[in-house]
Amino acid sequence: MDYHFKNCPLAKLIPFFKAQNDRLESQEIALDLLKAKHYSLEMVLSSITETLETCDIRQQGTEVETFGPVSQTPEPYDATTHHLLCGHESLRRDVERMSMEMSNLDAKARLMILNESLHTKDELSRANAAISSIRMQLNWLTSANHQGGFPTRSHRAPATDPHRPPGLQTPRRLSDDPRQEPKL
């Protein structure tokens, strides 16, 4: 027998066949579970449709035709069906609320970005105006200096007045005009 297990090509496939059988058994168990879940979901779905149809009939009256088969004895809500319907409605409301909040947050974010860009543009325009003003003043000062409108350091008047006594002489600022008389 040992000789046969070592030399027979089919005997060498025994571990592979065992693994396949194990897999097949686990797949059959999973299939049975799925069938049970499918059956329970079908039952829940049929009870939900029947409940909805009976609710429609109660709300609309008996003169309105229904769009599906209606059982002669309407079943009342059982706990699982009622729980599922309430959960579904609650989730629908939550999704609608979240959607509204997301759209509100999106609008607020866009408005905030727009406000920030407007503030930045205002600050840049103020900075550009200040730079332009400084440029104009600098050009005015340099052109006035070249035309001789302002005295330079070599043409500046002495800091003290020779006609005053030494204790009363005050130093002059560079911006003071040498011809300007002190105010009394």
Side-chain angles (χ1 to χ4, degrees):
M1 191 68 137
D2 290 333
Y3 175 76
H4 177 71
F5 282 129
K6 290 180 183 178
N7 294 331
C8 181
L10 291 177
K12 291 179 182 178
L13 293 176
I14 289 176
F16 176 73
F17 289 139
K18 285 183 181 180
Q20 288 297 328
N21 282 339
D22 293 340
R23 287 184 192 148
L24 184 63
E25 288 174 5
S26 67
Q27 292 294 327
E28 286 175 354
I29 292 171
L31 182 64
D32 290 339
L33 288 174
L34 285 175
K35 283 181 181 178
K37 285 182 183 179
H38 180 69
Y39 177 75
S40 65
L41 288 175
E42 279 183 348
M43 295 306 295
V44 167
L45 183 64
S46 65
S47 68
I48 289 173
T49 54
E50 289 175 5
T51 304
L52 290 175
E53 288 172 355
T54 57
C55 287
D56 286 342
I57 290 173
R58 287 178 189 163
Q59 289 175 355
Q60 296 173 357
T62 55
E63 69 247 8
V64 179
E65 295 181 17
T66 60
F67 295 105
V70 179
S71 63
Q72 296 297 332
T73 58
E75 297 177 11
Y77 284 125
D78 59 338
T80 57
T81 305
H82 183 62
H83 178 71
L84 287 174
L85 288 174
C86 291
H88 176 72
E89 186 65 24
S90 173
L91 288 175
R92 187 184 62 76
R93 276 191 245 121
D94 287 344
V95 167
E96 287 176 1
R97 183 180 50 83
M98 295 287 276
S99 174
M100 292 295 291
E101 288 178 8
M102 290 292 289
S103 62
N104 286 342
L105 286 175
D106 185 40
K108 286 179 183 179
R110 287 182 184 182
L111 186 62
M112 187 173 62
I113 290 170
L114 180 66
N115 284 340
E116 287 178 5
S117 66
L118 288 176
H119 289 300
T120 305
K121 286 179 183 178
D122 287 344
E123 289 175 8
L124 285 175
S125 64
R126 286 185 197 124
N128 284 336
I131 290 171
S132 297
S133 173
I134 292 171
R135 246 188 224 145
M136 287 175 42
Q137 290 174 1
L138 194 66
N139 286 337
W140 181 76
L141 287 173
T142 55
S143 67
N145 229 358
H146 286 289
Q147 294 174 3
F150 291 112
T152 59
R153 287 184 172 226
S154 60
H155 301 298
R156 201 172 73 189
T160 61
D161 191 4
H163 301 292
R164 286 188 167 194
L168 296 175
Q169 293 181 356
T170 58
R172 293 189 175 262
R173 295 180 292 185
L174 292 176
S175 63
D176 288 345
D177 190 10
R179 290 171 267 144
Q180 182 180 6
E181 294 296 322
K183 296 180 181 176
L184 299 175

